[in-house]
Amino acid sequence: MKASLINKLDLLQDRFEELTALLGDAEVISNQPQFRAYSKEYAEIEPVYQAFSAFRKVQSDLEGAQALSLLTVGLEHIHRCQLTQAQHKVLGA
């Protein structure tokens, strides 16, 4: 995904979180026209926010899996080296 799109979605995510706080504010709740405007904007942004949050979760999970895969490959290499050294000691002794 392009960095410019990620930046725009990050801003949208920030706005969603701001709206969440505003909609819980007593002053906003008492101002019905403002409350309705924020509620409408919240409803419009929420599906994008949810999808982007899911994307971020999958992206994070993928990065974790890739790191684990690299670690596993590294451990397998170390194990093979240790096994080879042990075999040389046993066969060479």
Side-chain angles (χ1 to χ4, degrees), residues 58-72:
V58 169
Q59 185 179 40
S60 176
D61 291 349
L62 178 60
E63 289 170 1
Q66 289 171 336
L68 185 58
S69 177
L70 289 174
L71 179 61
T72 301

Side-chain angles (χ1 to χ4, degrees), residues 12-29:
L12 191 68
Q13 189 171 20
D14 292 343
R15 179 61 179 162
F16 182 83
E17 291 167 3
E18 180 183 11
L19 287 168
T20 301
L22 287 168
L23 289 170
D25 184 275
E27 190 174 315
V28 172
I29 292 169

Side-chain angles (χ1 to χ4, degrees), residues 5-59:
L5 181 57
I6 295 287
N7 290 336
K8 288 178 184 179
L9 290 169
D10 281 333
L11 292 174
L12 191 68
Q13 189 171 20
D14 292 343
R15 179 61 179 162
F16 182 83
E17 291 167 3
E18 180 183 11
L19 287 168
T20 301
L22 287 168
L23 289 170
D25 184 275
E27 190 174 315
V28 172
I29 292 169
S30 66
N31 181 345
Q32 283 302 299
Q34 189 67 60
F35 184 79
R36 276 193 296 277
Y38 287 154
S39 293
K40 182 180 177 188
E41 185 179 356
Y42 179 95
E44 291 171 353
I45 292 174
E46 185 178 23
V48 178
Y49 171 83
Q50 296 296 336
F52 186 56
S53 294
F55 169 79
R56 288 284 195 179
K57 170 92 171 79
V58 169
Q59 185 179 40

